[in-house]
């Protein structure tokens, strides 16, 4: 891929306490992500999705292979990346107001106070929390807390946004709303997004591509979704193309687990 911003090159990862005879957490994974793409990462539990994302983020160093950003090997956490975690409650500070939580990562960017406030106000507006800026995280719902975490990443204005199953702990309607919020933010800012999910429908709905990891923690497939944008929770999901992509992805993820049943 000539316009690749992220290159994962034969990456493997083995946790330090794993016996050398045991399976690695990630095994010889290679793919590239183009600038501005929205790429979902899917696969069964234990397939290495979060480990892969941590390697891309520079939070874990691959045991083998390399991850490159703009052609340069990642060694540490790049300043141009932001990450949204699944456990949004633990990523927010209960004693800080929502606007203060969003402003926290901006302190090291050399911005003036007015510039920080401008970014925070704009980010909260983008995720629909303009009226909640002076509340505390514990005063709002789980879905709103996750919007705070997204707003914090948006305010940072990253080139690359990494999201690790960010909607796994919310109800179905909130999840759909948050999916559309992320798509709107991505479209507005042109960031490159890597989005880890267990949810097959979510991967198809969000992604330009879906990277599929197998139960053996290897790359099983790199699928292009080809669904038109903008996407709609009703019309997109009702389309024949969506059903086809969903079935293809389900076969890859679920068939290996069901093969021994019966």
């Amino acid at each position: 891929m000539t316009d690749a911003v992220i290159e994962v090159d034969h990456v493997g990862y083995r946790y330090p306490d794993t016996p050398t005879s045991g399976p690695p957490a990630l095994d010889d994974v290679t793919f590239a992500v183009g600038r501005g793409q929205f790429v979902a990462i899917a696969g069964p539990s234990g397939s290495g999705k979060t480990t892969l994302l941590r390697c891309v983020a520079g939070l874990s160093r691959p045991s083998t292979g390399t991850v490159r950003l703009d052609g340069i090997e990642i060694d540490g956490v790049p300043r141009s990346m932001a990450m949204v975690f699944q456990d949004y409650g633990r990523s927010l500070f209960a004693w800080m107001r929502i606007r203060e939580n969003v402003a926290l990562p901006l302190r090291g960017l050399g911005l003036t106070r007015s510039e920080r406030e401008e970014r925070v106000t704009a980010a909260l507006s983008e995720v629909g929390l303009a009226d909640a800026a002076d509340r505390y995280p514990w005063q709002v719902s789980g879905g709103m807390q996750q919007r705070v975490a997204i707003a914090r990443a948006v305010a940072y204005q990253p080139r690359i946004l990494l999201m690790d199953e960010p909607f796994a702990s919310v109800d179905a309607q909130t999840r759909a709303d948050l999916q559309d919020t992320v798509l709107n933010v991505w479209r507005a800012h042109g960031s490159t997004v890597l989005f880890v999910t267990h949810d097959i429908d979510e991967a198809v709905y969000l992604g330009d591509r879906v990277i599929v990891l197998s139960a053996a923690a290897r790359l099983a497939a790199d699928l292009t979704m080809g669904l038109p944008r903008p996407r709609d929770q009703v019309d997109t999901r009702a389309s024949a193309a969506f059903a086809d992509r969903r079935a293809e992805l389900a076969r890859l993820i679920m068939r290996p687990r069901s093969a021994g049943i019966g």
Side-chain angles (χ1 to χ4, degrees):
M1 182 180 293
T2 56
D3 64 340
V5 61
I6 298 170
E7 296 169 276
V8 176
D9 188 5
H10 295 286
V11 165
Y13 186 83
R14 184 180 294 276
Y15 286 100
D17 57 351
T18 302
T20 55
S21 59
L26 205 62
D27 190 10
D28 195 31
V29 174
T30 296
F31 65 92
V33 179
R35 196 174 308 278
Q37 281 194 325
F38 197 121
V39 176
I41 301 172
S45 295
S47 60
K49 300 184 296 297
T50 294
T51 300
L52 173 59
L53 204 67
R54 289 180 61 86
C55 288
V56 173
L59 296 172
S60 297
R61 188 174 183 85
S63 303
T64 57
T66 58
V67 181
R68 293 186 292 272
L69 173 63
D70 296 324
I72 300 173
E73 183 175 355
I74 291 176
D75 183 16
V77 179
R79 290 180 65 93
S80 59
M81 288 186 184
M83 190 162 180
V84 178
F85 297 92
Q86 176 180 346
D87 193 351
Y88 49 82
R90 295 180 63 182
S91 72
L92 301 177
F93 295 101
W95 60 89
M96 287 185 174
R97 297 184 188 274
I98 284 174
R99 67 165 68 252
E100 295 168 332
N101 271 281
V102 174
L104 188 62
L106 306 182
R107 294 179 179 178
L109 298 183
L111 302 173
T112 64
R113 181 175 179 177
S114 62
E115 287 172 334
R116 292 197 301 269
E117 290 176 350
E118 183 177 342
R119 285 201 190 188
V120 169
T121 299
L124 287 172
S125 179
E126 280 194 65
V127 301
L129 291 179
D131 295 333
D134 291 319
R135 298 182 189 178
Y136 292 94
W138 49 268
Q139 293 179 310
V140 301
S141 68
M144 292 176 74
Q145 289 180 38
Q146 189 59 298
R147 288 179 186 270
V148 177
I150 295 169
R152 184 164 57 190
V154 170
Y156 189 74
Q157 297 182 2
R159 291 175 51 222
I160 298 163
L161 179 58
L162 308 178
M163 309 188 80
D164 187 12
E165 297 192 70
F167 311 146
S169 301
V170 298
D171 62 84
Q173 182 58 60
T174 300
R175 188 173 194 142
D177 292 341
L178 288 169
Q179 288 168 356
D180 288 338
T181 295
V182 166
L183 287 180
N184 290 337
V185 166
W186 167 68
R187 189 162 51 243
H189 293 274
S191 301
T192 302
V193 178
L194 269 67
F195 187 104
V196 166
T197 180
H198 271 98
D199 190 290
I200 292 171
D201 287 45
E202 183 168 72
V204 175
Y205 183 71
L206 293 176
D208 294 319
R209 293 160 56 203
V210 179
I211 300 297
V212 184
L213 298 181
S214 71
R218 287 177 168 267
L219 181 67
D222 183 348
L223 306 177
T224 299
M225 294 298 98
L227 301 175
R229 295 190 186 273
R231 295 180 185 171
D232 177 87
Q233 291 287 350
V234 176
D235 293 339
T236 298
R237 291 177 183 270
S239 69
F242 183 93
D244 289 344
R245 301 297 184 277
R246 185 193 185 284
E248 183 179 13
L249 187 54
R251 280 192 292 269
L252 283 165
I253 292 175
M254 300 177 70
R255 179 168 290 173
R257 289 183 291 167
S258 61
I261 297 175

